[in-house]
PDB file of all heavy atoms in Angstrom:
ATOM      1  N   LEU A 212      61.053  56.289-157.348  1.00  0.00           N
ATOM      2  CA  LEU A 212      60.073  55.849-158.336  1.00  0.00           C
ATOM      3  C   LEU A 212      59.087  57.024-158.431  1.00  0.00           C
ATOM      4  O   LEU A 212      58.398  57.362-157.372  1.00  0.00           O
ATOM      5  CB  LEU A 212      59.363  54.632-157.863  1.00  0.00           C
ATOM      6  CG  LEU A 212      60.253  53.410-157.506  1.00  0.00           C
ATOM      7  CD1 LEU A 212      59.395  52.178-157.012  1.00  0.00           C
ATOM      8  CD2 LEU A 212      61.197  53.011-158.629  1.00  0.00           C
ATOM      9  N   VAL A 213      59.007  57.655-159.620  1.00  0.00           N
ATOM     10  CA  VAL A 213      58.102  58.802-159.796  1.00  0.00           C
ATOM     11  C   VAL A 213      57.056  58.416-160.782  1.00  0.00           C
ATOM     12  O   VAL A 213      57.320  58.045-161.919  1.00  0.00           O
ATOM     13  CB  VAL A 213      59.002  60.035-160.272  1.00  0.00           C
ATOM     14  CG1 VAL A 213      58.063  61.245-160.406  1.00  0.00           C
ATOM     15  CG2 VAL A 213      60.148  60.316-159.366  1.00  0.00           C
ATOM     16  N   ASP A 214      55.797  58.701-160.404  1.00  0.00           N
ATOM     17  CA  ASP A 214      54.673  58.506-161.312  1.00  0.00           C
ATOM     18  C   ASP A 214      53.644  59.695-160.950  1.00  0.00           C
ATOM     19  O   ASP A 214      53.734  60.380-160.032  1.00  0.00           O
ATOM     20  CB  ASP A 214      53.966  57.227-160.985  1.00  0.00           C
ATOM     21  CG  ASP A 214      53.149  56.702-162.097  1.00  0.00           C
ATOM     22  OD1 ASP A 214      52.863  57.457-163.087  1.00  0.00           O
ATOM     23  OD2 ASP A 214      52.643  55.674-162.029  1.00  0.00           O
ATOM     24  N   THR A 215      52.677  59.928-161.921  1.00  0.00           N
ATOM     25  CA  THR A 215      51.788  61.015-161.670  1.00  0.00           C
ATOM     26  C   THR A 215      50.806  60.600-160.580  1.00  0.00           C
ATOM     27  O   THR A 215      50.632  61.453-159.674  1.00  0.00           O
ATOM     28  CB  THR A 215      50.943  61.263-162.906  1.00  0.00           C
ATOM     29  OG1 THR A 215      50.453  60.021-163.482  1.00  0.00           O
ATOM     30  CG2 THR A 215      51.795  61.973-163.995  1.00  0.00           C
ATOM     31  N   LYS A 216      50.248  59.422-160.530  1.00  0.00           N
ATOM     32  CA  LYS A 216      49.428  58.948-159.488  1.00  0.00           C
ATOM     33  C   LYS A 216      49.976  57.515-159.181  1.00  0.00           C
ATOM     34  O   LYS A 216      49.653  56.528-159.784  1.00  0.00           O
ATOM     35  CB  LYS A 216      47.989  58.851-159.952  1.00  0.00           C
ATOM     36  CG  LYS A 216      47.276  60.165-160.124  1.00  0.00           C
ATOM     37  CD  LYS A 216      46.886  60.716-158.693  1.00  0.00           C
ATOM     38  CE  LYS A 216      46.019  61.953-158.932  1.00  0.00           C
ATOM     39  NZ  LYS A 216      46.129  62.896-157.786  1.00  0.00           N
ATOM     40  N   SER A 217      50.698  57.463-158.036  1.00  0.00           N
ATOM     41  CA  SER A 217      51.336  56.238-157.615  1.00  0.00           C
ATOM     42  C   SER A 217      50.166  55.411-157.032  1.00  0.00           C
ATOM     43  O   SER A 217      49.412  55.898-156.234  1.00  0.00           O
ATOM     44  CB  SER A 217      52.402  56.450-156.562  1.00  0.00           C
ATOM     45  OG  SER A 217      53.422  57.249-157.085  1.00  0.00           O
ATOM     46  N   GLY A 218      50.090  54.162-157.487  1.00  0.00           N
ATOM     47  CA  GLY A 218      49.076  53.241-157.048  1.00  0.00           C
ATOM     48  C   GLY A 218      49.362  52.788-155.530  1.00  0.00           C
ATOM     49  O   GLY A 218      50.476  52.810-155.032  1.00  0.00           O
ATOM     50  N   GLU A 219      48.288  52.598-154.777  1.00  0.00           N
ATOM     51  CA  GLU A 219      48.368  52.183-153.419  1.00  0.00           C
ATOM     52  C   GLU A 219      49.165  50.856-153.305  1.00  0.00           C
ATOM     53  O   GLU A 219      49.877  50.726-152.262  1.00  0.00           O
ATOM     54  CB  GLU A 219      47.000  52.034-152.747  1.00  0.00           C
ATOM     55  CG  GLU A 219      47.013  51.990-151.320  1.00  0.00           C
ATOM     56  CD  GLU A 219      47.647  53.222-150.660  1.00  0.00           C
ATOM     57  OE1 GLU A 219      47.460  54.390-151.147  1.00  0.00           O
ATOM     58  OE2 GLU A 219      48.269  53.092-149.567  1.00  0.00           O
ATOM     59  N   HIS A 220      49.003  49.971-154.302  1.00  0.00           N
ATOM     60  CA  HIS A 220      49.727  48.735-154.214  1.00  0.00           C
ATOM     61  C   HIS A 220      51.194  48.859-154.170  1.00  0.00           C
ATOM     62  O   HIS A 220      51.963  48.202-153.428  1.00  0.00           O
ATOM     63  CB  HIS A 220      49.292  47.751-155.300  1.00  0.00           C
ATOM     64  CG  HIS A 220      47.960  47.096-155.156  1.00  0.00           C
ATOM     65  ND1 HIS A 220      47.449  46.736-154.026  1.00  0.00           N
ATOM     66  CD2 HIS A 220      47.008  46.807-156.131  1.00  0.00           C
ATOM     67  CE1 HIS A 220      46.228  46.212-154.163  1.00  0.00           C
ATOM     68  NE2 HIS A 220      45.937  46.203-155.451  1.00  0.00           N
ATOM     69  N   LEU A 221      51.670  49.789-155.092  1.00  0.00           N
ATOM     70  CA  LEU A 221      53.084  50.004-155.271  1.00  0.00           C
ATOM     71  C   LEU A 221      53.698  50.721-153.939  1.00  0.00           C
ATOM     72  O   LEU A 221      54.700  50.353-153.490  1.00  0.00           O
ATOM     73  CB  LEU A 221      53.350  50.939-156.391  1.00  0.00           C
ATOM     74  CG  LEU A 221      54.911  51.154-156.715  1.00  0.00           C
ATOM     75  CD1 LEU A 221      55.627  49.882-157.006  1.00  0.00           C
ATOM     76  CD2 LEU A 221      55.049  52.239-157.838  1.00  0.00           C
ATOM     77  N   LYS A 222      52.972  51.659-153.297  1.00  0.00           N
ATOM     78  CA  LYS A 222      53.373  52.313-152.143  1.00  0.00           C
ATOM     79  C   LYS A 222      53.511  51.264-151.060  1.00  0.00           C
ATOM     80  O   LYS A 222      54.490  51.295-150.272  1.00  0.00           O
ATOM     81  CB  LYS A 222      52.417  53.377-151.768  1.00  0.00           C
ATOM     82  CG  LYS A 222      52.565  54.616-152.648  1.00  0.00           C
ATOM     83  CD  LYS A 222      51.691  55.730-152.152  1.00  0.00           C
ATOM     84  CE  LYS A 222      51.866  56.920-153.066  1.00  0.00           C
ATOM     85  NZ  LYS A 222      50.880  58.045-152.717  1.00  0.00           N
ATOM     86  N   ARG A 223      52.545  50.466-150.867  1.00  0.00           N
ATOM     87  CA  ARG A 223      52.608  49.352-149.879  1.00  0.00           C
ATOM     88  C   ARG A 223      53.659  48.347-150.031  1.00  0.00           C
ATOM     89  O   ARG A 223      54.309  47.856-149.123  1.00  0.00           O
ATOM     90  CB  ARG A 223      51.238  48.604-149.766  1.00  0.00           C
ATOM     91  CG  ARG A 223      50.047  49.470-149.386  1.00  0.00           C
ATOM     92  CD  ARG A 223      50.098  49.822-147.905  1.00  0.00           C
ATOM     93  NE  ARG A 223      50.028  48.722-146.990  1.00  0.00           N
ATOM     94  CZ  ARG A 223      48.945  48.052-146.537  1.00  0.00           C
ATOM     95  NH1 ARG A 223      47.775  48.511-146.920  1.00  0.00           N
ATOM     96  NH2 ARG A 223      49.074  47.050-145.742  1.00  0.00           N
ATOM     97  N   ALA A 224      53.900  48.060-151.417  1.00  0.00           N
ATOM     98  CA  ALA A 224      54.938  47.055-151.720  1.00  0.00           C
ATOM     99  C   ALA A 224      56.356  47.578-151.406  1.00  0.00           C
ATOM    100  O   ALA A 224      57.171  46.800-151.037  1.00  0.00           O
ATOM    101  CB  ALA A 224      54.847  46.634-153.151  1.00  0.00           C
ATOM    102  N   VAL A 225      56.512  48.803-151.597  1.00  0.00           N
ATOM    103  CA  VAL A 225      57.879  49.449-151.373  1.00  0.00           C
ATOM    104  C   VAL A 225      58.060  49.761-149.807  1.00  0.00           C
ATOM    105  O   VAL A 225      59.222  50.062-149.499  1.00  0.00           O
ATOM    106  CB  VAL A 225      58.008  50.623-152.279  1.00  0.00           C
ATOM    107  CG1 VAL A 225      59.321  51.427-152.039  1.00  0.00           C
ATOM    108  CG2 VAL A 225      58.038  50.113-153.719  1.00  0.00           C
ATOM    109  N   GLN A 226      57.036  49.758-149.084  1.00  0.00           N
ATOM    110  CA  GLN A 226      57.064  50.202-147.705  1.00  0.00           C
ATOM    111  C   GLN A 226      58.292  49.690-146.914  1.00  0.00           C
ATOM    112  O   GLN A 226      58.899  50.262-146.083  1.00  0.00           O
ATOM    113  CB  GLN A 226      55.771  49.919-147.066  1.00  0.00           C
ATOM    114  CG  GLN A 226      55.423  50.782-145.896  1.00  0.00           C
ATOM    115  CD  GLN A 226      53.997  50.653-145.481  1.00  0.00           C
ATOM    116  OE1 GLN A 226      53.172  50.106-146.278  1.00  0.00           O
ATOM    117  NE2 GLN A 226      53.729  50.937-144.250  1.00  0.00           N
ATOM    118  N   ASN A 227      58.510  48.332-147.187  1.00  0.00           N
ATOM    119  CA  ASN A 227      59.563  47.654-146.340  1.00  0.00           C
ATOM    120  C   ASN A 227      61.033  47.850-146.950  1.00  0.00           C
ATOM    121  O   ASN A 227      61.934  47.346-146.359  1.00  0.00           O
ATOM    122  CB  ASN A 227      59.269  46.144-146.155  1.00  0.00           C
ATOM    123  CG  ASN A 227      58.166  45.955-145.167  1.00  0.00           C
ATOM    124  OD1 ASN A 227      57.902  46.732-144.309  1.00  0.00           O
ATOM    125  ND2 ASN A 227      57.446  44.905-145.368  1.00  0.00           N
ATOM    126  N   LEU A 228      61.178  48.390-148.080  1.00  0.00           N
ATOM    127  CA  LEU A 228      62.391  48.650-148.685  1.00  0.00           C
ATOM    128  C   LEU A 228      62.862  50.029-148.174  1.00  0.00           C
ATOM    129  O   LEU A 228      62.404  51.073-148.684  1.00  0.00           O
ATOM    130  CB  LEU A 228      62.305  48.567-150.233  1.00  0.00           C
ATOM    131  CG  LEU A 228      61.788  47.234-150.729  1.00  0.00           C
ATOM    132  CD1 LEU A 228      61.600  47.288-152.212  1.00  0.00           C
ATOM    133  CD2 LEU A 228      62.697  46.068-150.345  1.00  0.00           C
ATOM    134  N   SER A 229      63.871  50.038-147.338  1.00  0.00           N
ATOM    135  CA  SER A 229      64.338  51.285-146.735  1.00  0.00           C
ATOM    136  C   SER A 229      64.939  52.327-147.691  1.00  0.00           C
ATOM    137  O   SER A 229      64.918  53.502-147.459  1.00  0.00           O
ATOM    138  CB  SER A 229      65.233  50.987-145.506  1.00  0.00           C
ATOM    139  OG  SER A 229      66.410  50.392-146.067  1.00  0.00           O
ATOM    140  N   LYS A 230      65.533  51.739-148.779  1.00  0.00           N
ATOM    141  CA  LYS A 230      66.297  52.648-149.644  1.00  0.00           C
ATOM    142  C   LYS A 230      65.431  53.001-150.931  1.00  0.00           C
ATOM    143  O   LYS A 230      66.023  53.650-151.855  1.00  0.00           O
ATOM    144  CB  LYS A 230      67.542  52.010-150.085  1.00  0.00           C
ATOM    145  CG  LYS A 230      68.566  51.761-148.954  1.00  0.00           C
ATOM    146  CD  LYS A 230      69.768  51.198-149.368  1.00  0.00           C
ATOM    147  CE  LYS A 230      70.709  51.012-148.163  1.00  0.00           C
ATOM    148  NZ  LYS A 230      72.032  50.453-148.603  1.00  0.00           N
ATOM    149  N   VAL A 231      64.195  52.569-151.006  1.00  0.00           N
ATOM    150  CA  VAL A 231      63.349  52.926-152.070  1.00  0.00           C
ATOM    151  C   VAL A 231      62.153  53.850-151.710  1.00  0.00           C
ATOM    152  O   VAL A 231      61.536  53.534-150.633  1.00  0.00           O
ATOM    153  CB  VAL A 231      62.764  51.540-152.760  1.00  0.00           C
ATOM    154  CG1 VAL A 231      62.008  51.944-154.050  1.00  0.00           C
ATOM    155  CG2 VAL A 231      63.942  50.739-153.119  1.00  0.00           C
ATOM    156  N   ARG A 232      61.906  54.871-152.515  1.00  0.00           N
ATOM    157  CA  ARG A 232      60.795  55.788-152.253  1.00  0.00           C
ATOM    158  C   ARG A 232      59.933  55.908-153.430  1.00  0.00           C
ATOM    159  O   ARG A 232      60.457  55.831-154.517  1.00  0.00           O
ATOM    160  CB  ARG A 232      61.305  57.217-151.910  1.00  0.00           C
ATOM    161  CG  ARG A 232      61.921  57.357-150.539  1.00  0.00           C
ATOM    162  CD  ARG A 232      61.978  58.710-150.068  1.00  0.00           C
ATOM    163  NE  ARG A 232      60.654  59.199-149.984  1.00  0.00           N
ATOM    164  CZ  ARG A 232      60.337  60.479-149.828  1.00  0.00           C
ATOM    165  NH1 ARG A 232      61.310  61.429-149.766  1.00  0.00           N
ATOM    166  NH2 ARG A 232      59.065  60.945-149.817  1.00  0.00           N
ATOM    167  N   VAL A 233      58.648  55.931-153.254  1.00  0.00           N
ATOM    168  CA  VAL A 233      57.657  56.163-154.305  1.00  0.00           C
ATOM    169  C   VAL A 233      57.064  57.536-154.051  1.00  0.00           C
ATOM    170  O   VAL A 233      56.566  57.916-152.935  1.00  0.00           O
ATOM    171  CB  VAL A 233      56.495  55.107-154.281  1.00  0.00           C
ATOM    172  CG1 VAL A 233      55.466  55.455-155.242  1.00  0.00           C
ATOM    173  CG2 VAL A 233      57.113  53.799-154.464  1.00  0.00           C
ATOM    174  N   VAL A 234      57.151  58.436-155.094  1.00  0.00           N
ATOM    175  CA  VAL A 234      56.705  59.849-154.967  1.00  0.00           C
ATOM    176  C   VAL A 234      55.848  60.227-156.140  1.00  0.00           C
ATOM    177  O   VAL A 234      56.244  59.867-157.260  1.00  0.00           O
ATOM    178  CB  VAL A 234      57.902  60.801-154.863  1.00  0.00           C
ATOM    179  CG1 VAL A 234      57.468  62.203-154.650  1.00  0.00           C
ATOM    180  CG2 VAL A 234      58.833  60.404-153.709  1.00  0.00           C
ATOM    181  N   ASP A 235      54.784  60.931-155.861  1.00  0.00           N
ATOM    182  CA  ASP A 235      54.066  61.446-157.111  1.00  0.00           C
ATOM    183  C   ASP A 235      54.757  62.603-157.687  1.00  0.00           C
ATOM    184  O   ASP A 235      55.572  63.330-157.002  1.00  0.00           O
ATOM    185  CB  ASP A 235      52.691  62.013-156.507  1.00  0.00           C
ATOM    186  CG  ASP A 235      51.737  60.867-156.084  1.00  0.00           C
ATOM    187  OD1 ASP A 235      52.010  59.713-156.421  1.00  0.00           O
ATOM    188  OD2 ASP A 235      50.747  61.123-155.391  1.00  0.00           O
ATOM    189  N   SER A 236      54.561  62.868-158.961  1.00  0.00           N
ATOM    190  CA  SER A 236      55.340  63.870-159.673  1.00  0.00           C
ATOM    191  C   SER A 236      55.096  65.205-159.138  1.00  0.00           C
ATOM    192  O   SER A 236      56.072  66.126-159.341  1.00  0.00           O
ATOM    193  CB  SER A 236      55.061  63.730-161.197  1.00  0.00           C
ATOM    194  OG  SER A 236      53.736  63.952-161.413  1.00  0.00           O
ATOM    195  N   ASN A 237      54.073  65.535-158.580  1.00  0.00           N
ATOM    196  CA  ASN A 237      53.849  66.868-157.974  1.00  0.00           C
ATOM    197  C   ASN A 237      54.379  66.983-156.605  1.00  0.00           C
ATOM    198  O   ASN A 237      54.286  68.111-156.024  1.00  0.00           O
ATOM    199  CB  ASN A 237      52.387  67.233-158.091  1.00  0.00           C
ATOM    200  CG  ASN A 237      51.541  66.294-157.244  1.00  0.00           C
ATOM    201  OD1 ASN A 237      51.959  65.240-156.820  1.00  0.00           O
ATOM    202  ND2 ASN A 237      50.234  66.645-157.094  1.00  0.00           N
ATOM    203  N   GLN A 238      55.025  66.038-155.992  1.00  0.00           N
ATOM    204  CA  GLN A 238      55.606  66.019-154.761  1.00  0.00           C
ATOM    205  C   GLN A 238      57.122  65.808-154.768  1.00  0.00           C
ATOM    206  O   GLN A 238      57.763  65.782-153.645  1.00  0.00           O
ATOM    207  CB  GLN A 238      54.982  64.927-153.888  1.00  0.00           C
ATOM    208  CG  GLN A 238      53.472  64.975-153.713  1.00  0.00           C
ATOM    209  CD  GLN A 238      53.123  66.158-152.785  1.00  0.00           C
ATOM    210  OE1 GLN A 238      53.731  66.430-151.772  1.00  0.00           O
ATOM    211  NE2 GLN A 238      52.153  66.890-153.169  1.00  0.00           N
ATOM    212  N   VAL A 239      57.720  65.688-155.888  1.00  0.00           N
ATOM    213  CA  VAL A 239      59.133  65.465-156.001  1.00  0.00           C
ATOM    214  C   VAL A 239      59.892  66.684-155.567  1.00  0.00           C
ATOM    215  O   VAL A 239      59.545  67.809-155.916  1.00  0.00           O
ATOM    216  CB  VAL A 239      59.569  65.114-157.398  1.00  0.00           C
ATOM    217  CG1 VAL A 239      60.998  64.908-157.574  1.00  0.00           C
ATOM    218  CG2 VAL A 239      58.854  63.872-157.902  1.00  0.00           C
ATOM    219  N   THR A 240      61.034  66.524-154.715  1.00  0.00           N
ATOM    220  CA  THR A 240      61.820  67.670-154.413  1.00  0.00           C
ATOM    221  C   THR A 240      63.247  67.364-154.756  1.00  0.00           C
ATOM    222  O   THR A 240      63.630  66.270-155.180  1.00  0.00           O
ATOM    223  CB  THR A 240      61.775  67.811-152.820  1.00  0.00           C
ATOM    224  OG1 THR A 240      62.341  66.541-152.157  1.00  0.00           O
ATOM    225  CG2 THR A 240      60.286  68.027-152.311  1.00  0.00           C
ATOM    226  N   ALA A 241      64.083  68.382-154.676  1.00  0.00           N
ATOM    227  CA  ALA A 241      65.468  68.295-155.009  1.00  0.00           C
ATOM    228  C   ALA A 241      66.163  67.365-153.995  1.00  0.00           C
ATOM    229  O   ALA A 241      67.119  66.632-154.455  1.00  0.00           O
ATOM    230  CB  ALA A 241      66.115  69.673-154.910  1.00  0.00           C
ATOM    231  N   ARG A 242      65.689  67.258-152.820  1.00  0.00           N
ATOM    232  CA  ARG A 242      66.276  66.408-151.831  1.00  0.00           C
ATOM    233  C   ARG A 242      66.007  64.903-152.241  1.00  0.00           C
ATOM    234  O   ARG A 242      66.990  64.100-152.163  1.00  0.00           O
ATOM    235  CB  ARG A 242      65.581  66.648-150.455  1.00  0.00           C
ATOM    236  CG  ARG A 242      66.035  65.802-149.348  1.00  0.00           C
ATOM    237  CD  ARG A 242      65.268  66.179-148.088  1.00  0.00           C
ATOM    238  NE  ARG A 242      65.583  65.238-147.011  1.00  0.00           N
ATOM    239  CZ  ARG A 242      64.783  65.135-145.930  1.00  0.00           C
ATOM    240  NH1 ARG A 242      63.656  65.775-145.849  1.00  0.00           N
ATOM    241  NH2 ARG A 242      65.040  64.348-144.956  1.00  0.00           N
ATOM    242  N   ASP A 243      64.825  64.565-152.703  1.00  0.00           N
ATOM    243  CA  ASP A 243      64.528  63.283-153.203  1.00  0.00           C
ATOM    244  C   ASP A 243      65.478  62.895-154.278  1.00  0.00           C
ATOM    245  O   ASP A 243      65.999  61.749-154.385  1.00  0.00           O
ATOM    246  CB  ASP A 243      63.128  63.133-153.678  1.00  0.00           C
ATOM    247  CG  ASP A 243      62.110  63.319-152.513  1.00  0.00           C
ATOM    248  OD1 ASP A 243      62.427  62.999-151.413  1.00  0.00           O
ATOM    249  OD2 ASP A 243      60.989  63.805-152.847  1.00  0.00           O
ATOM    250  N   VAL A 244      65.531  63.736-155.308  1.00  0.00           N
ATOM    251  CA  VAL A 244      66.398  63.475-156.444  1.00  0.00           C
ATOM    252  C   VAL A 244      67.813  63.299-156.090  1.00  0.00           C
ATOM    253  O   VAL A 244      68.504  62.458-156.570  1.00  0.00           O
ATOM    254  CB  VAL A 244      66.175  64.573-157.459  1.00  0.00           C
ATOM    255  CG1 VAL A 244      67.113  64.417-158.676  1.00  0.00           C
ATOM    256  CG2 VAL A 244      64.730  64.582-157.989  1.00  0.00           C
ATOM    257  N   ALA A 245      68.345  64.196-155.271  1.00  0.00           N
ATOM    258  CA  ALA A 245      69.802  64.235-154.921  1.00  0.00           C
ATOM    259  C   ALA A 245      70.108  62.951-154.111  1.00  0.00           C
ATOM    260  O   ALA A 245      71.224  62.399-154.264  1.00  0.00           O
ATOM    261  CB  ALA A 245      70.089  65.465-154.140  1.00  0.00           C
ATOM    262  N   ALA A 246      69.270  62.503-153.356  1.00  0.00           N
ATOM    263  CA  ALA A 246      69.529  61.296-152.497  1.00  0.00           C
ATOM    264  C   ALA A 246      69.502  60.028-153.238  1.00  0.00           C
ATOM    265  O   ALA A 246      69.942  59.020-152.754  1.00  0.00           O
ATOM    266  CB  ALA A 246      68.487  61.295-151.308  1.00  0.00           C
ATOM    267  N   ALA A 247      68.733  59.942-154.365  1.00  0.00           N
ATOM    268  CA  ALA A 247      68.512  58.680-155.105  1.00  0.00           C
ATOM    269  C   ALA A 247      69.715  58.420-155.994  1.00  0.00           C
ATOM    270  O   ALA A 247      70.302  59.318-156.659  1.00  0.00           O
ATOM    271  CB  ALA A 247      67.310  58.734-155.919  1.00  0.00           C
ATOM    272  N   ALA A 248      70.113  57.121-156.032  1.00  0.00           N
ATOM    273  CA  ALA A 248      71.200  56.717-157.005  1.00  0.00           C
ATOM    274  C   ALA A 248      70.568  56.481-158.400  1.00  0.00           C
ATOM    275  O   ALA A 248      71.173  56.735-159.389  1.00  0.00           O
ATOM    276  CB  ALA A 248      71.863  55.439-156.459  1.00  0.00           C
ATOM    277  N   ARG A 249      69.282  55.938-158.372  1.00  0.00           N
ATOM    278  CA  ARG A 249      68.566  55.676-159.663  1.00  0.00           C
ATOM    279  C   ARG A 249      67.181  56.258-159.457  1.00  0.00           C
ATOM    280  O   ARG A 249      66.625  56.250-158.419  1.00  0.00           O
ATOM    281  CB  ARG A 249      68.553  54.215-159.925  1.00  0.00           C
ATOM    282  CG  ARG A 249      69.771  53.489-160.321  1.00  0.00           C
ATOM    283  CD  ARG A 249      70.189  53.728-161.845  1.00  0.00           C
ATOM    284  NE  ARG A 249      69.101  53.447-162.784  1.00  0.00           N
ATOM    285  CZ  ARG A 249      68.927  52.197-163.312  1.00  0.00           C
ATOM    286  NH1 ARG A 249      69.678  51.159-162.895  1.00  0.00           N
ATOM    287  NH2 ARG A 249      68.014  52.080-164.140  1.00  0.00           N
TER     288      ARG A 249
END
C-alpha cells in the first residue's frame, strides 16, 4: 500500500497482517515492489 503520507491508523491496522506492507511514496524500493503480488 503506497501513499504520500500514510496515516498512523492504517500502519497500525496492517501491523498484524504479515503479507501486507504500508510504505510512503518516498520510501518505496524495488524490493518492496518486486515482493508484492498487488
Side-chain angles (χ1 to χ4, degrees):
L212 310 178
V213 184
D214 199 354
T215 50
K216 287 280 186 206
S217 303
E219 193 62 33
H220 284 326
L221 183 62
K222 286 182 180 177
R223 294 287 301 272
V225 172
Q226 202 169 343
N227 285 334
L228 302 174
S229 61
K230 295 181 179 182
V231 180
R232 285 200 60 193
V233 177
V234 183
D235 291 341
S236 58
N237 58 352
Q238 300 290 316
V239 178
T240 63
R242 178 184 177 199
D243 294 331
V244 173
R249 287 284 305 276

